[in-house]
Amino acid sequence: MSNSTPPTPKQIFTELSVELTGFDRAELAGTGMIDTYYDTLLRMIGEREAGQLLRYASEALDKDRKDKTNGTAFKAAVIDSPRFGPVAVSLIKLWYLGMWYPLPAAYRDRFGSTADDVGHVVSSQGYREGLVWVAAGAHPMGGKPPGHGSWAEPPSLLNPTP
């Protein structure tokens, strides 16, 4: 991101998602799900709490880039945080599976959530665009070419490891 203008919350959400998923910005944008998942985050934990998550994530990512600490600040501020770690886990599941998994009861008791924080499929597009399919070198059943019967054959990874 440019140092001249501050990033928007959606840009920070994208950077957060890059860090959580291991996919780059272009790959995430190619799913067409950034806006939907950003809106889902806001609905699940509220705009105020989402803003705090994005602020902490942005500061940690900036520190990791500046200090070349390979994600240690991000891990401490987000992944290992009792406040943001459970949200990060739900976001990872959302990106990979296209479904929001509710936050744990202990999290909700301590930090709250919204009435929308229930398990649900976010959209049919989320299923088709789930990162799990790319990671597995497969296609969603009935969702994308090669189509009917493709699951009769084992998946072929695009870049297999020797």
Side-chain angles (χ1 to χ4, degrees):
M1 286 186 220
S2 170
N3 291 338
S4 60
T5 57
T8 67
K10 199 173 292 181
Q11 288 170 325
I12 297 169
F13 172 77
T14 302
E15 291 302 311
L16 167 67
S17 296
V18 164
E19 194 69 21
L20 292 175
T21 65
F23 284 78
D24 66 32
R25 280 188 296 273
E27 291 168 316
L28 295 181
T31 68
M33 300 305 297
I34 292 174
D35 290 342
T36 300
Y37 290 167
Y38 174 73
D39 293 342
T40 298
L41 174 66
L42 298 180
R43 277 194 341 273
M44 296 305 113
I45 65 172
E47 290 185 27
R48 182 177 176 277
E49 190 65 8
Q52 291 298 310
L53 167 61
L54 296 177
R55 182 172 67 85
Y56 277 76
S58 179
E59 290 171 359
L61 289 168
D62 286 347
K63 180 172 178 38
D64 283 334
R65 275 190 287 271
K66 183 180 138 222
D67 298 344
K68 299 182 182 356
T69 54
N70 200 27
T72 56
F74 180 81
K75 185 176 184 303
V78 177
I79 302 298
D80 294 339
S81 164
R83 181 176 180 187
F84 301 125
V87 178
V89 169
S90 287
L91 283 172
I92 292 167
K93 291 176 183 178
L94 180 62
W95 275 106
Y96 274 83
L97 304 172
M99 181 170 175
W100 178 263
Y101 286 81
L103 296 163
Y107 172 90
R108 290 193 312 267
D109 291 346
R110 185 168 177 195
F111 301 106
S113 67
T114 68
D116 290 331
D117 181 30
V118 295
H120 66 283
V121 174
V122 173
S123 76
S124 60
Q125 183 182 354
Y127 165 76
R128 287 188 307 274
E129 298 298 333
L131 300 178
V132 67
W133 308 115
V134 177
H139 296 279
M141 292 182 286
K144 286 186 176 180
H148 180 72
S150 64
W151 279 77
E153 300 294 323
S156 62
L157 296 176
L158 298 176
N159 298 310
T161 315

